[in-house]
Amino acid sequence: MSKGNINVSVENIFPLIKKFLYSDHEIFLRELISNATDATLKLKHLTNIGEAKVEYGNPQIEVKIDKKGKKLHIIDQGLGMTADEVKKYINEVAFSGAEEFLDKYKDKVEDAGIIGHFGLGFYSSFMVADKVEIITKSFKDEPAAHWTCDGSPEYTLEEADKTDRGTEIILHISEGEESFLEDSKISELLTKYNKFMPIPIKFGMRTETLPKPEDAKEDDPAPTQEVDNIINNPNPAWTKQPAELEEDDYKNFYRELYPMQFEEPLFNIHLNVDYPFNLTGILYFPKMTQDMSMQRDKIQLYQNQVFVTDNVEGIVPEFLTMLRGVIDSPDIPLNVSRSYLQADGAVKKISSYITRKVADKLKSLFNNNREDFEAKWNDIKIVIEYGMLSEEKFFEKADAFALYPTVDGKYYTYEELYNKIKAKQTDKDDKLVILYASNKDEQHSYIEAAKDKGYEVLLLDSPIVSHLIQKLETTKENISFARVDADHIDNIIKKDDTKISKLSDEEKTTLDELLKEVIPADKFSVQLETMDSNAAPFMITQPEFMRRMKEMQQTGGGGMNMFGNMPEMYNLVVNTNSELVGEILNTKTKKKQERLINQSLDLARLSQGLLKGEELTNFIKRSYDMIK
């Protein structure tokens, strides 16, 4: 037996490791199983190239709990270590980063996850154990070694009687860390971090039901047998080539990733690139809700099948964080801070690659089955619209597949829409006006007025539509968007034909004064317009610019706070050619004039959903009285 001191000048590094890593101390299991996996895969490589003259077989990693002895065992059948290798890798190399770690991070507890970056993965064991043993037998023909350390710089190293190849790590769990001796806790961590590790991981046994023998009676119980409980899938779908997978394989893998998700994904995108970086993965488009914040953090990031995080912001373009699935890249460091990741050159390349790949997939889905793509549009549009806003390259590519639906359920690409409406919806200043509604029911009368003119009305109802149309107006030439209730339709798309008013200028002045006496000036700006005689007498509109700025304010950005804080102001458009408006003007008694104005105003408010509470109650009562 030999004794020695670990090669580190700090008197006792273990309390420091515990202190700096405490917030993330469960990662010790991930680190130890990653080491065991590496040892197994290295052995596979050495046997393949003929350097290890041993049978590789079907190795697995086993995790065992000894609750009575307060011990946790991690056992692998990998290449193992000789006594000299234990001295080198455990006592020297693993600690070569210790002082650098301490110098750099003694004042930065929040960067604790960086331990593996310094080769300290094995020593994360001391976050939960007050003594750690290694019993290891190399694939080389040398005696087994037994290393023991009690959390001080002192260790013992002696020969062991282990005869089978591989390494066993024994953690003597510290007081206060007994949760790591519970089956449920270890099972939870193995599922979280190691669900798709490339080597089978055994954790206990499970009962398997066997087929009944042919001569069994109907009420005889089915026979059972105890089998190894393998908790992981070593060959997940993303590690295979797309040609090897059917549609059902993708759906089954989605259920494996999200067992509590009962809706099928709409479609998937298989990522597979080996230059200029390595990246594999499968992304799924789920059905989307209007609440973007609900969708986030569902993509899982792996490094060589080891779970890293489900916070992929900065690695995946922001608009795609609403998707689900897996991304795996050996080029993404396993243990680094988020700020490091976001500044990393490889990570930036990965982000732009994913953007391009998603855009190409959407284009091919659109081209191959447009009908199906249109049917799914409402469920995916929030991602596409957000991508058009936030990623310039995606915006450019989206012209090929982004759709603009109409209130009648037709779908146009931008180019198709432009060609369809340019003849009718170009105004006298040669600007194309694209009309849209955000709610078919609330804006029904305005939609009908536009359709009577032969105009197309889009249905744009996502929460970020104001931002999107602002972007389109600044990038497409000579167009503007207007919601159908922004003004009277003849004012939204102004043509050269001028209508003749039935009222003289003097009568208009009298009418204007009369209306302003009755209509509250703090809520409505009265606007006299010469319109068709069959158009509505009173119409409430809200100026496009003001409404849009307020909407953008509510969904972030798009102007100063002044718009968000301004009171709701509406225009009251009064049709001077309406028979009712003529009657209001010619009514002799002031009282009847006021009643007609208020009733007409309330009807206009009712059509816009602006009549509520006491005012609605009074309107209904007054209407009944008029019927009498």
Side-chain angles (χ1 to χ4, degrees):
M1 182 175 87
S2 68
K3 289 188 177 184
N5 276 353
I6 291 163
N7 181 23
V8 62
S9 59
V10 178
E11 179 54 38
N12 190 342
I13 195 170
F14 298 104
L16 292 166
I17 286 177
K18 283 189 179 189
K19 178 187 171 187
F20 289 128
L21 292 174
Y22 191 78
S23 63
D24 202 15
H25 63 328
E26 65 181 34
I27 61 130
F28 81 92
L29 192 58
R30 180 187 79 178
E31 297 293 331
L32 294 181
I33 289 181
S34 294
N35 288 349
T37 303
D38 285 346
T40 311
L41 292 175
K42 280 173 183 167
L43 180 69
K44 184 180 185 180
H45 177 67
L46 292 177
T47 54
N48 284 344
I49 63 172
E51 275 197 33
K53 310 290 186 193
V54 293
E55 188 68 38
Y56 178 68
N58 296 298
Q60 62 182 27
I61 296 163
E62 184 176 7
V63 180
K64 288 198 302 192
I65 292 172
D66 172 4
K67 205 161 186 178
K68 195 174 177 186
K70 289 193 168 184
K71 290 185 281 191
L72 184 67
H73 301 248
I74 293 97
I75 305 156
D76 71 55
Q77 296 160 0
L79 43 69
M81 288 182 282
T82 64
D84 284 342
E85 286 169 339
V86 171
K87 282 182 188 174
K88 180 179 177 184
Y89 293 115
I90 300 299
N91 298 338
E92 294 170 17
V93 174
F95 256 79
S96 63
E99 288 179 275
E100 186 189 348
F101 169 74
L102 285 175
D103 287 346
K104 193 164 184 183
Y105 289 100
K106 61 189 174 200
D107 301 320
K108 293 187 182 177
V109 180
E110 71 274 11
D111 278 321
I114 206 156
I115 187 166
H117 192 51
F118 292 87
L120 287 163
F122 165 73
Y123 282 97
S124 63
S125 314
F126 287 94
M127 293 189 293
V128 298
D130 48 26
K131 180 170 132 182
V132 178
E133 299 177 68
I134 303 171
I135 303 169
T136 182
K137 171 85 170 71
S138 171
F139 72 95
K140 299 167 187 170
D141 188 19
E142 290 196 35
H146 183 184
W147 179 93
T148 309
C149 181
D150 63 1
S152 73
E154 291 179 2
Y155 68 87
T156 62
L157 183 61
E158 56 190 323
E159 203 169 296
D161 55 8
K162 179 177 169 69
T163 55
D164 52 328
R165 181 193 72 227
T167 300
E168 178 173 6
I169 310 283
I170 305 167
L171 276 63
H172 296 255
I173 299 298
S174 311
E175 197 175 323
E177 302 291 351
E178 288 84 1
S179 66
F180 295 108
L181 294 167
E182 299 295 333
D183 282 14
S184 58
K185 180 67 174 176
I186 296 301
S187 181
E188 174 201 327
L189 293 181
L190 291 172
T191 304
K192 177 178 178 181
Y193 290 112
N194 308 106
K195 191 176 180 178
F196 300 111
M197 294 289 273
I199 305 298
I201 299 166
K202 176 188 170 186
F203 182 55
M205 306 293 286
R206 63 182 174 83
T207 305
E208 192 176 73
T209 304
L210 299 170
K212 284 186 181 183
E214 286 182 17
D215 58 349
K217 293 177 184 172
E218 194 176 325
D219 54 354
D220 282 354
T224 60
Q225 67 176 11
E226 290 291 298
V227 294
D228 289 351
N229 181 37
I230 303 299
I231 62 95
N232 62 321
N233 171 4
N235 302 297
W238 84 80
T239 62
K240 300 171 184 174
Q241 291 295 320
E244 298 174 55
L245 300 167
E246 303 288 335
E247 194 56 38
D248 277 352
D249 296 317
Y250 287 110
K251 286 180 179 173
N252 291 337
F253 180 57
Y254 185 76
R255 289 187 204 105
E256 198 177 342
L257 280 174
Y258 310 105
M260 301 308 291
Q261 184 59 237
F262 302 112
E263 278 192 329
E264 294 282 1
L266 298 166
F267 47 79
N268 62 73
I269 296 169
H270 198 131
L271 305 167
N272 195 340
V273 64
D274 52 21
Y275 181 82
F277 47 79
N278 283 298
L279 181 133
T280 53
I282 300 169
L283 295 178
Y284 293 91
F285 269 77
K287 279 197 164 188
M288 291 290 168
T289 68
Q290 295 281 45
D291 186 353
M292 292 187 288
S293 60
M294 289 276 292
Q295 309 287 342
R296 307 270 171 129
D297 297 339
K298 296 288 194 302
I299 294 176
Q300 298 174 14
L301 180 68
Y302 288 77
Q303 188 224 57
N304 290 328
Q305 294 174 240
V306 184
F307 176 77
V308 179
T309 180
D310 55 9
N311 177 2
V312 294
E313 191 184 336
I315 301 151
V316 171
E318 192 180 357
F319 77 102
L320 294 178
T321 59
M322 292 184 279
L323 301 189
R324 293 186 179 155
V326 166
I327 289 169
D328 188 333
S329 175
D331 295 325
I332 293 175
L334 186 59
N335 286 298
V336 291
S337 64
R338 186 137 304 277
S339 57
Y340 177 96
L341 266 184
Q342 289 169 354
D344 187 73
V347 169
K348 285 180 179 169
K349 284 179 190 158
I350 286 169
S351 178
S352 63
Y353 164 77
I354 294 169
T355 299
R356 190 177 78 248
K357 189 76 177 176
V358 168
D360 291 345
K361 176 71 173 186
L362 290 166
K363 184 180 176 181
S364 83
L365 287 165
F366 174 77
N367 290 341
N368 294 341
N369 191 341
R370 177 163 179 166
E371 195 178 330
D372 183 57
F373 192 84
E374 287 180 359
K376 289 171 176 168
W377 177 256
N378 273 337
D379 293 314
I380 61 173
K381 66 184 177 191
I382 194 84
V383 176
I384 293 171
E385 290 172 354
Y386 191 24
M388 290 168 72
L389 274 175
S390 58
E391 296 282 331
E392 203 55 47
K393 285 198 169 85
F394 187 81
F395 179 82
E396 290 162 15
K397 284 179 170 281
D399 257 358
F401 54 79
L403 292 177
Y404 299 86
T406 71
V407 289
D408 299 318
K410 296 180 199 145
Y411 291 85
Y412 298 112
T413 63
Y414 181 80
E415 188 180 1
E416 291 165 351
L417 177 70
Y418 183 88
N419 291 330
K420 175 91 169 93
I421 67 174
K422 69 177 176 184
K424 280 193 175 171
Q425 290 179 222
T426 301
D427 68 12
K428 63 185 179 64
D429 299 319
D430 215 28
K431 180 170 266 195
L432 181 70
V433 181
I434 301 171
L435 299 171
Y436 72 99
S438 59
N439 187 305
K440 278 204 293 191
D441 293 332
E442 287 177 12
Q443 292 145 20
H444 183 267
S445 62
Y446 301 89
I447 293 167
E448 290 305 305
K451 284 165 73 174
D452 285 346
K453 298 272 187 186
Y455 298 157
E456 285 283 358
V457 181
L458 301 181
L459 181 62
L460 304 178
D461 57 1
S462 79
I464 55 173
V465 73
S466 297
H467 296 274
L468 180 63
I469 61 181
Q470 196 88 345
K471 169 93 175 166
L472 288 163
E473 284 172 343
T474 56
T475 50
K476 306 287 185 187
E477 277 188 36
N478 213 22
I479 64 153
S480 69
F481 281 78
R483 205 166 83 177
V484 283
D485 58 349
D487 204 335
H488 170 56
I489 190 64
D490 289 340
N491 280 347
I492 295 176
I493 303 178
K494 288 187 173 173
K495 301 287 187 178
D496 282 327
D497 51 331
T498 51
K499 289 187 171 60
I500 299 164
S501 176
K502 290 179 182 178
L503 302 184
S504 66
D505 289 348
E506 195 179 331
E507 286 173 316
K508 284 184 189 173
T509 304
T510 307
L511 177 65
D512 190 50
E513 288 168 358
L514 182 61
L515 292 167
K516 284 176 179 171
E517 281 175 23
V518 180
I519 290 162
D522 61 331
K523 292 181 182 171
F524 297 100
S525 171
V526 176
Q527 182 181 320
L528 301 184
E529 294 287 347
T530 304
M531 290 146 57
D532 293 333
S533 56
N534 61 353
F538 280 32
M539 181 189 285
I540 290 172
T541 64
Q542 192 173 21
E544 176 76 16
F545 173 76
M546 188 64 71
R547 193 208 69 252
R548 200 191 292 183
M549 286 301 131
K550 287 176 82 76
E551 286 172 355
M552 289 169 75
Q553 194 75 51
Q554 286 157 9
T555 52
M560 296 152 59
N561 268 338
M562 57 179 277
F563 295 111
N565 297 332
M566 284 185 80
E568 292 287 346
M569 274 296 291
Y570 297 92
N571 291 335
L572 177 66
V573 180
V574 178
N575 180 5
T576 61
N577 281 352
S578 159
E579 195 178 321
L580 176 62
V581 171
E583 191 181 329
I584 290 170
L585 185 63
N586 296 321
T587 296
K588 302 298 179 202
T589 68
K590 202 82 166 164
K591 197 170 182 183
K592 189 180 177 186
Q593 278 180 328
E594 284 182 14
R595 196 177 79 236
L596 287 171
I597 292 168
N598 282 324
Q599 191 72 2
S600 302
L601 175 63
D602 282 353
L603 282 165
R605 292 166 81 192
L606 191 66
S607 76
Q608 275 279 52
L610 296 173
L611 201 58
K612 293 171 185 167
E614 186 181 353
E615 290 176 324
L616 178 59
T617 306
N618 292 339
F619 167 75
I620 293 167
K621 186 174 181 298
R622 187 168 72 237
S623 300
Y624 279 132
D625 289 342
M626 288 170 78
I627 294 169
K628 289 182 209 168

